[in-house]
Amino acid sequence: MASPVTERTVIAPAPRATGATKRWRFPWFVYLGLLPTFALLGVLAYYPAVSGVYHSFFDWRPGFDSPFVGFDNYRTMFADDLWWDSFKNLGYIFVVSVTVMWVLPLLAAELVISLRSERLQFVFRTLLIAPLAFPGVVTVLVWSFVFDPNDGMLNQGLSAIGLGSLAHNWVGDPSTALASLLLIGFPWVASLPFLVFLTALQNIPKEVYEAASLDGCGRLRRVLTIDLPLMASQIKLLFFLATISVLQFGFAAYLVTGGGPDNATQVPVLRMLGVAFEGSDWGYAATLSTTLFVITALFSGVLVLIRKKENSDARAL
């Protein structure tokens, strides 16, 4: 008797995913839409930068003969005490920007996130973020009226509470001009740091806070041991942005003090603009611009490399 034949079901192996099936790709001609963007970047960003570096080696006079002077402009820069003194003011601005100007936004973000009512959180969040939409020039000009020595709100307020003896020409005195300039925007809550801190706190799981509460963790201890460590990446990002922003600082000083009095609020950007538009020394201005660009690029590169290394170490763990 013939033995029964056992049928076996053969399952074909699934086809391996190839690069074409893993990732959907745009047709090549879609990328042609980026050409206008690159063209504008080339004309408005890259060309001025390259032109500045090139003309820093010339006694540049736009529209006239511009003889080649080699490194003479750079030798002049190294002997320019006003240029290097402006970096001292920039150092003070940087220290205040990454310390005092972060404390109040962090406190405001902690208070908003601690509200139990989501509706109240939304209201306060909106009220504190909305001023970010206001033009910066309006804020600076309003504060210039606040510091006005005659009819300014600050001196008027001091006189109203019997402290008229403290009235002062705040931005006209070299000893108080820089500090007054840094007060612009006080209490600095309507700012990018507040938005970043608030977003970071909202992304912390509620279970973490509940566990901390069960362990008897107080508010201050929670901020120091939970919130700040979990916001480390956001703080590093803010530090990076603050470094770039401070190196380019000059907008408020230009409108309020113009770098004075007695160069008390002089910063590199203002020095560069003064050399160009007041001294008409465009070649030397290009040298200062190139130097500031190199310093900014170096700081940016170092911070990016540090962040990249930290990400690589985190992936390795």
Side-chain angles (χ1 to χ4, degrees):
M1 184 176 180
S3 60
V5 178
T6 303
E7 295 183 357
R8 296 182 180 178
T9 303
V10 179
I11 302 177
R16 295 183 178 180
T18 62
T21 58
K22 282 183 179 180
R23 183 175 57 189
W24 185 77
R25 296 181 179 178
F26 281 102
W28 65 268
F29 57 84
V30 173
Y31 291 94
L32 293 177
L34 294 175
L35 289 180
T37 301
F38 284 116
L40 289 174
L41 284 174
V43 173
L44 301 178
Y46 296 114
Y47 173 75
V50 174
S51 175
V53 175
Y54 173 77
H55 286 104
S56 67
F57 297 99
F58 292 82
D59 181 11
W60 186 24
R61 300 173 183 176
F64 299 93
D65 291 336
S66 302
F68 178 77
V69 296
F71 288 95
D72 285 353
N73 287 329
Y74 288 92
R75 282 190 283 269
T76 301
M77 181 192 68
F78 282 109
D80 188 347
D81 293 335
L82 185 57
W83 167 252
W84 298 113
D85 287 343
S86 68
F87 281 94
K88 295 179 182 178
N89 292 333
L90 212 61
Y92 298 139
I93 295 170
F94 178 77
V95 171
V96 174
S97 297
V98 300
T99 54
V100 180
M101 289 186 181
W102 285 4
V103 173
L104 292 177
L106 176 60
L107 176 61
E110 290 284 354
L111 292 176
V112 170
I113 204 68
S114 297
L115 293 171
R116 294 186 178 181
S117 172
E118 293 186 0
R119 179 174 296 180
L120 282 178
Q121 283 191 23
F122 173 78
V123 171
F124 280 101
R125 182 171 67 245
T126 302
L127 291 175
L128 293 174
I129 292 176
L132 286 173
F134 300 161
V137 64
V138 174
T139 302
V140 173
L141 290 177
V142 168
W143 275 88
S144 68
F145 290 123
V146 170
F147 291 128
D148 186 272
N150 299 317
D151 302 318
M153 187 184 301
L154 181 55
N155 285 342
Q156 292 290 337
L158 290 173
S159 299
I161 61 176
L163 297 175
S165 60
L166 297 179
H168 196 68
N169 186 1
W170 301 98
V171 295
D173 185 346
S175 63
T176 59
L178 185 59
S180 301
L181 205 63
L182 292 174
L183 274 177
I184 292 178
F186 181 84
W188 313 297
V189 173
S191 60
L192 180 62
F194 169 75
L195 186 60
V196 172
F197 289 142
L198 182 63
T199 304
L201 290 172
Q202 288 175 330
N203 290 331
I204 297 176
K206 294 182 179 180
E207 293 78 6
V208 175
Y209 289 147
E210 293 173 356
S213 178
L214 291 175
D215 290 339
C217 184
R219 180 66 59 82
L220 180 59
R221 183 183 175 190
R222 190 198 76 184
V223 173
L224 296 176
T225 61
I226 296 177
D227 294 349
L228 290 179
L230 291 178
M231 290 193 296
S233 60
Q234 286 83 2
I235 293 174
K236 292 173 184 175
L237 173 63
L238 285 176
F239 186 85
F240 171 77
L241 295 176
T243 302
I244 304 303
S245 177
V246 168
L247 284 171
Q248 298 175 348
F249 180 86
F251 172 70
Y254 177 77
L255 289 178
V256 179
T257 64
D262 196 22
N263 296 314
T265 59
Q266 187 70 252
V267 289
V269 169
L270 288 185
R271 175 59 179 157
M272 179 184 66
L273 293 176
V275 168
F277 292 98
E278 295 177 11
S280 298
D281 193 346
W282 295 93
Y284 183 44
T287 300
L288 301 183
S289 174
T290 299
T291 303
L292 190 60
F293 166 74
V294 171
I295 293 173
T296 304
L298 288 175
F299 271 105
S300 302
V302 170
L303 292 173
V304 168
L305 288 175
I306 292 174
R307 188 174 180 84
K308 184 177 180 181
K309 184 179 185 302
E310 289 177 348
N311 292 336
S312 299
D313 293 342
R315 284 194 296 266
L317 295 176

